[in-house]
Amino acid sequence: MIAQQATASMEADVLIIGSGAGGATTATVLAEAGFDVLVVEEGSWVEQGEVVPFSLDQMERQYRAGGVTVALGRPALAYTEGRCAGGGTEVNSGLYWRPPGELLERWRHDFRIADFDPAELLAIADEVETAINVRTVPAQHSAASEVLRSGAAALGWQHGEVPRWMTYPHGPDATKGERQSMTRTYLPRAAAAGARLAVGARVDHLVHQNGSATSANITLADGTKGSIRFGCVFVCGGAIQTPAILQRSRIAGFIGKSLAVHPTVKLAARFSDELNVPDDVPVHQVKEFAPHLSFGGSASNPGLVALSLLDQWSTFRQYVTDWRRMSVYYAAITSEGRGRVTSVPRMADPIVTYRLTHRDRELLRSGLARLTLLMLEAGATDVFPSFKGAPRVRSRKDLASMQQAFSASKATVMTVHLCSTVPMGEVVDSCGADSYGRVHGMKNVHVNDASLLPTAPGVNPQASVMAFAIRNARRFAAGEHNG
């Protein structure tokens, strides 16, 4: 382990708050450029293998609030945040998507991102993919993943395997990879270059005057108060915690007002043969209707299968004992709705709200119906949609009644992709940070995480986060934009 417990008094030339995809890559670039870097992380360091993936133990040790966090709205939208060294890279599925080129062009134009070359960002993505070993599974895919492939093929829908940041052994266990998360890749690189990582420190707020921040007030895991002095700070706490820190610091601007997510609805599908893989997720995704709608597979251990049946437990609970023949799948949309992150005095965590538009609700409806059709074409004997009043679907004849019964307000809607709460760009009225991540109106406060992405990208955002973070950190290291 390269981390140490935080102390009540620390200092550094550059303070980086958060150690996930944005914080770890920022720390590596700046430490390798010769800066004195301190990374502080609210959670702890958890070695891979210490916890079972998708278990309650993992939820308690590596997620904020045990994974139970909700954006208020109609319906409420459940979301998850990593809270550990490495952040979300330690707990997600490791699926890797480059940002679409046409999306980068749209961001550059609509948000007036200065000196931004999409080709440069994609070249950085090349480096990232080498550093974290992005690759496809070198052996046969799991049966749960094969469901997505075969169902899409039967319908003539576009589909494919999504690569992951994994290393794989040779031989019969070649499907069991080791996640090349930040604790395995960029954080060790940063430490080798001299960066320090302190865990167990929550940043309460930044102390600043006349546009310059000088220190961060912190609370240690045992409740001890402390302070970190710095010359410059990069806030990389994620799309919820980053705007909350800035708001608690009374830094004004377009901060926390444009939360963007990929809402998902789920179902459980039962098949004739056993296919459940409790500790992994399918690697195939269906992109026939992208970027508006996509289908994929979720973690499906027995508890999560039961959770997927919970909305209609009165009639679905009898099937939970057959979990080995069941797997959980999702339909995800690129939402037009937006949310807000609002820090409230004397509350540890911010209030998060999110509003789905009418179009979002209808897209979730059609998405769940199409996903159900996909399952039937793949050979599912029964499909159990996750919403109150849902019927069991056994054939195409049941689809119409299922679609008619569905409404988003009856469903368990959730997301694992959160972004856009401090959008980058030169349109000050709709951007919280400038084209390089420096917070508008501040001289030495930067953001370098998913908060910067101007809109939800329609794919897993972590590749975009890492590429932007490296771009911005290199500009800072070159002295081109560090105030």
Side-chain angles (χ1 to χ4, degrees), residues 350-364:
I351 293 174
V352 182
T353 57
Y354 197 86
R355 178 181 176 274
L356 296 172
T357 66
H358 175 74
R359 172 262 190 191
D360 293 341
R361 293 167 180 271
E362 291 306 306
L363 196 53
L364 288 171

Side-chain angles (χ1 to χ4, degrees), residues 273-335:
D273 300 320
E274 292 187 3
L275 79 166
N276 188 287
V277 182
D279 60 351
D280 205 358
V281 298
V283 294
H284 284 93
Q285 288 187 358
V286 180
K287 292 292 186 179
E288 175 71 16
F289 310 103
H292 306 294
L293 174 66
S294 61
F295 307 127
S298 297
S300 298
N301 66 32
L304 294 174
V305 170
L307 191 62
S308 73
L309 302 176
L310 189 60
D311 285 326
Q312 190 56 23
W313 189 247
S314 60
T315 54
F316 288 172
R317 63 183 176 184
Q318 61 183 303
Y319 303 103
V320 72
T321 56
D322 206 15
W323 64 268
R324 290 179 180 83
R325 295 198 294 135
M326 299 171 71
S327 194
V328 181
Y329 299 90
Y330 67 82
I333 70 168
T334 301
S335 173

